[in-house]
Amino acid sequence: MIDNYLHADFDVMYISENIPGPSEPTLEAEELAKNFNSQITHCCKCNSKCLPDSCECLEISGGANYRLLDQQHSNSRVYVMNVKGNVHSNSYPVVECNDLCKCKDSCGNRLVQYGPIKTLYVKSTQNKLKGLGLFTNTLISQGSFVCEYAGEVLTKKQALFRYNNNEMHGRMNYIFCLNEHVIGRIVQTYIDPSSFGNIGRYINHSCYPNCEIVPVRVNTPLPKLAVFSIMDIQPDAEITFDYGSDDVNNCVSNVTTRKPCLCNSSHCKGFMPYLPC
Ligand SMILES: C[S@@+](CC[C@H](N)C(=O)[O-])C[C@H]1O[C@@H](n2cnc3c(N)ncnc32)[C@H](O)[C@@H]1O
């Protein structure tokens, strides 16, 4: 992975990929550590191009995860998220080719594993309360991979503890809870980039976002939280995603405990999504 970004704040350690959180004597922590350290066993044997009919990784993914962007004026090969025909995008996981696969490094099913785009920068937003934000200095085409939201992988107990602690001390919250619906149950992954994180930690919430989080699996069963653009993003625009698009965030019953949203979009719901966990 190539990731040459750094944090201006020396209190935050730059990591380009998720790292395990503190150990804890619970079954959940044990399971998490096992997942973190295990290698996905499936792999493809493609010796030329990975194609949906013959590539094991694409078969698991329900078709091609990415497609080449038509770039009339560019020689570079840019891949964007592929809409998988009639297949509902949430019904299949995005699984990239991994270290055990026989295909080439240039295979079209390797994208997130190569790291963030190189055009991102961090600067203060117009509102002090919102703090810093992540911006791009060139156009990002719809469907492009922007960066990962990487940090410490926590158990639910650790995430709740840190979240409540942040609330108590009026600190910003960086913990993201990914909810994946897997055969009748919800599997949650908690990522906290507050002390150890990558460039994705500066992405603010918007009620009308230009990006979304897509869980992507590469070498381990633990998903990477990959940020993909859902529209063309103009140079100098802020990168945003919706911190919580689940049903729980669309109900208004708990608005009193929610922070005011400063996304400034015409679709603003007035409050930040109800966060974890
Ligand atoms: C993941 S951090 C984003 C980067 C952060 N702004 C910074 O300065 O490092 C999330 C925190 O940013 C602030 N934030 C993000 N989006 C916001 C929004 N739309 N309105 C108000 N505050 C926001 C909240 O304090 C939130 O807990």
Side-chain angles (χ1 to χ4, degrees):
M1 171 174 300
I2 301 172
D3 183 342
N4 294 323
Y5 292 109
L6 289 170
H7 296 301
D9 179 351
F10 292 124
D11 289 338
V12 189
M13 187 77 85
Y14 200 93
I15 50 162
S16 49
E17 294 186 77
N18 291 331
I19 58 167
S23 60
E24 181 191 275
T26 59
L27 267 180
E28 190 194 352
E30 221 174 89
E31 184 75 9
L32 205 57
K34 206 171 88 191
N35 271 346
F36 195 92
N37 295 318
S38 63
Q39 165 77 41
I40 281 181
T41 47
H42 76 261
C43 57
C44 73
K45 296 166 189 64
C46 311
N47 47 20
S48 56
K49 247 180 139 183
C50 285
L51 297 170
D53 300 345
S54 48
C55 172
E56 202 177 312
C57 305
L58 293 183
E59 198 183 314
I60 295 169
S61 301
N65 292 310
Y66 312 124
R67 65 174 173 80
L68 266 177
L69 178 72
D70 301 324
Q71 281 200 310
Q72 287 173 339
H73 306 296
S74 166
N75 297 325
S76 57
R77 287 159 58 83
V78 176
Y79 283 92
V80 294
M81 187 57 92
N82 183 38
V83 178
K84 292 173 190 166
N86 292 329
V87 176
H88 186 261
S89 60
N90 285 337
S91 31
Y92 283 91
V94 178
V95 180
E96 292 198 356
C97 291
N98 63 59
D99 290 352
L100 301 179
C101 291
K102 296 278 178 289
C103 60
K104 293 187 179 140
D105 290 348
S106 58
C107 147
N109 193 35
R110 298 175 187 268
L111 177 62
V112 171
Q113 59 190 273
Y114 289 147
I117 55 167
K118 297 185 176 56
T119 62
L120 304 169
Y121 64 96
V122 178
K123 71 167 186 179
S124 296
T125 60
Q126 278 163 349
N127 196 308
K128 254 192 174 167
L129 284 174
K130 203 161 88 169
L132 302 169
L134 188 66
F135 296 78
T136 171
N137 58 28
T138 55
L139 173 96
I140 298 176
S141 300
Q142 180 177 356
S144 303
F145 171 58
V146 177
C147 65
E148 205 180 314
Y149 192 81
E152 286 178 276
V153 187
L154 302 181
T155 62
K156 184 172 187 144
K157 193 171 144 200
Q158 291 165 343
L160 272 173
F161 178 80
R162 289 191 187 183
Y163 176 74
N164 290 330
N165 216 21
N166 289 340
E167 287 287 290
M168 212 161 65
H169 292 97
R171 287 196 296 250
M172 284 188 176
N173 175 61
Y174 291 82
I175 302 167
F176 185 85
C177 172
L178 172 78
N179 291 312
E180 287 182 288
H181 299 257
V182 184
I183 334 172
R185 68 190 184 108
I186 295 180
V187 178
Q188 297 181 307
T189 305
Y190 303 95
I191 303 292
D192 183 9
S194 43
S195 305
F196 300 87
N198 74 336
I199 197 73
R201 83 188 280 286
Y202 300 102
I203 303 180
N204 285 315
H205 161 83
S206 173
C207 301
Y208 186 61
N210 50 26
C211 290
E212 66 177 357
I213 295 260
V214 179
V216 173
R217 286 174 170 81
V218 184
N219 278 307
T220 78
L222 261 178
K224 288 174 178 293
L225 307 191
V227 180
F228 279 86
S229 59
I230 51 176
M231 58 179 81
D232 284 349
I233 307 177
Q234 299 305 319
D236 293 322
E238 185 177 355
I239 311 288
T240 56
F241 63 80
D242 186 340
Y243 282 6
S245 36
D246 318 36
D247 295 343
V248 66
N249 289 304
N250 294 326
C251 72
V252 286
S253 59
N254 49 10
V255 285
T256 49
T257 56
R258 296 204 212 165
K259 284 190 188 153
C261 176
L262 304 169
C263 77
N264 237 349
S265 79
S266 51
H267 299 63
C268 184
K269 297 181 185 122
F271 292 90
M272 294 278 285
Y274 174 69
L275 284 168
C277 305

